[in-house]
Amino acid sequence: MSRVTREQDTGTESSVQTMPLAKAITAALRDELAADEKTLLIGEDIGKLGGVFRVTDGLQAQFGEHRVIDSPLAESGIIGTSIGMAMRGYRPVAEIQFDGFVFPAFNQITTQLAKIHNRTDGALTVPVTIRLPYGGHIGSIEHHSESPEALFAHTAGLRVITPSNAHDAYWMTRQAIVSEDPVIIMEPKRRYWLKGEVDTANPAPDAFRAQVLREGSDITIATYGPLVPVALATAEVAQREGRSVEVIDVRSISPLDDETIARSAAKTRRLVVAHEAPTFGGFGAEIAARVTERAYDRLTAPVLRVGGFYMPYPPSGQEDRYLPDIDRMLEAIERSFAYGRTR
């Protein structure tokens, strides 16, 4: 599952481990449970079973049933209970099994959790973390593969973040749990088994800031969560075709670090925004609007979007055609450059 390396020069144990993204989240939950007795986990089948994706595997045995709580099958109850516990001084981390199962709790999240701090003029904080596996490409059906991030980003009072690699998954999870604000962690379930190095002694950048993963000079791709590896692979292909692509991992959907994205777009003069959610009404539209406002005079082409189609999530046999891939990102890059040739 993971390996612990040793420093050759000193013989001491290194803090760097290689693990899948899912196990990086497990490690983060374990470390926060150990660090603060007021932190607890709640969700369906997260205890003895260890969760549908085994992210909480072994945590109930280590910390007990009063810290890792198997809830009834009732998402509104999970979030409502978490809100109450947070108001009494606890730091609950609630798991929703799949993205499409969050909607029974949508009222609790958007009308209560997001509003209590403002409603009480700052007197109460509700440090609830919601873990929400999202996105497709796992061969599943509707209600198991959606990308509802824009719905939560539209709700003031919520922080919404999404890691794309194991190191970020570890540190962004820990940063979310210690935040005094409610945070929704959108976990890209298709990347749960993507392995990477995690340095538990070297924190990732601020969870609420974007990060430039690859420098480029011709065009920028801004994306997040499950599509970050696709964007990096696209940049490699484009490089062989003579295009220098800068790749930005947005990381934080709300608050949005539009400054970093706009700075990159102003440098390369072109921007493609990609996400799995449908482009119509998707979060890419917000990024496009903000970058246009900040860098309009520097852009040589309009901001282009790549996303899912405006339709219910398709059967698993069709999801490869529905989800953005390298070819669709490359096509958007060529469309961007076509503006300089045809206008």
Side-chain angles (χ1 to χ4, degrees):
M1 176 181 70
S2 66
R3 62 173 174 82
V4 179
T5 60
R6 291 183 178 275
E7 300 293 342
Q8 294 181 355
D9 55 343
T10 64
T12 59
E13 190 173 275
S14 169
S15 60
V16 179
Q17 304 177 48
T18 297
M19 63 182 76
L21 188 150
K23 293 306 178 183
I25 298 171
T26 308
L29 296 174
R30 179 181 294 110
D31 288 347
E32 284 302 320
L33 285 166
D36 185 356
E37 64 180 11
K38 292 292 188 179
T39 297
L40 49 84
L41 313 183
I42 181 171
E44 299 163 12
D45 297 322
I46 68 167
K48 292 180 174 62
L49 180 65
V52 171
F53 297 100
R54 304 300 186 265
V55 173
T56 54
D57 188 35
L59 297 182
Q60 189 179 75
Q62 182 175 353
F63 294 97
E65 295 182 1
H66 65 294
R67 299 281 307 281
V68 182
I69 304 166
D70 277 317
S71 73
L73 198 160
E75 287 78 13
S76 62
I78 293 170
I79 301 303
T81 301
S82 296
I83 293 170
M85 289 190 291
M87 293 173 68
R88 296 291 293 177
Y90 291 90
R91 290 186 178 273
V93 181
E95 177 184 300
I96 304 296
Q97 282 188 343
F98 287 92
D99 37 57
F101 297 174
V102 75
F103 296 106
F106 193 75
N107 178 56
Q108 291 279 11
I109 295 170
T110 59
T111 67
Q112 303 300 330
L113 180 61
K115 304 294 194 296
I116 289 173
H117 184 67
N118 185 71
R119 185 182 300 150
T120 62
D121 197 23
L124 291 178
T125 58
V126 277
V128 175
T129 301
I130 300 174
R131 294 183 43 246
L132 183 60
Y134 82 116
H137 228 295
I138 63 166
S140 195
I141 56 176
E142 64 175 351
H143 305 316
H144 295 70
S145 300
E146 279 87 358
S147 298
E149 63 269 18
L151 300 176
F152 297 110
H154 188 69
T155 302
L158 299 174
R159 292 177 180 259
V160 184
I161 58 176
T162 177
S164 67
N165 58 76
H167 186 68
D168 270 3
Y170 175 83
W171 283 107
M172 291 171 74
T173 299
R174 296 199 68 177
Q175 290 169 12
I177 293 172
V178 300
S179 172
E180 293 300 320
D181 298 319
V183 182
I184 298 178
I185 308 175
M186 310 289 293
E187 299 175 359
K189 67 174 86 76
R190 71 188 276 193
R191 304 300 177 191
Y192 270 153
W193 301 275
L194 178 67
K195 290 185 178 181
E197 288 191 343
V198 177
D199 188 346
T200 56
N202 182 27
D206 182 355
F208 307 108
R209 300 287 292 181
Q211 189 173 10
V212 178
L213 298 185
R214 179 188 174 111
E215 297 280 351
S217 58
D218 295 334
I219 191 169
T220 299
I221 298 177
T223 188
Y224 50 82
L227 288 189
V228 170
V230 179
L232 290 170
T234 300
E236 289 289 338
V237 175
Q239 186 73 42
R240 296 196 292 270
E241 298 176 354
R243 308 285 196 201
S244 176
V245 179
E246 185 148 297
V247 177
I248 293 181
D249 186 350
V250 175
R251 299 174 79 245
S252 178
I253 296 171
S254 180
L256 174 65
D257 179 11
D258 54 333
E259 179 182 355
T260 296
I261 304 169
R263 186 187 308 118
S264 174
K267 181 184 77 171
T268 65
R269 306 181 75 83
R270 291 177 172 86
L271 174 64
V272 172
V273 183
H275 50 60
E276 287 193 2
T279 54
F280 184 84
F283 193 69
E286 179 67 23
I287 296 176
R290 290 194 176 210
V291 170
T292 300
E293 290 173 0
R294 279 181 170 267
Y296 175 78
D297 60 333
R298 298 296 303 278
L299 299 176
T300 58
V303 179
L304 300 180
R305 293 173 291 155
V306 178
F309 301 116
Y310 190 50
M311 59 176 286
Y313 198 86
S316 59
Q318 299 295 319
E319 68 177 351
D320 281 344
R321 301 174 64 184
Y322 173 85
L323 294 170
D325 57 10
I326 293 175
D327 287 339
R328 282 167 62 184
M329 288 193 188
L330 288 173
E331 188 273 335
I333 290 173
E334 290 308 307
R335 277 195 291 128
S336 181
F337 278 94
Y339 276 87
R341 296 193 298 268
T342 61
R343 287 164 174 81

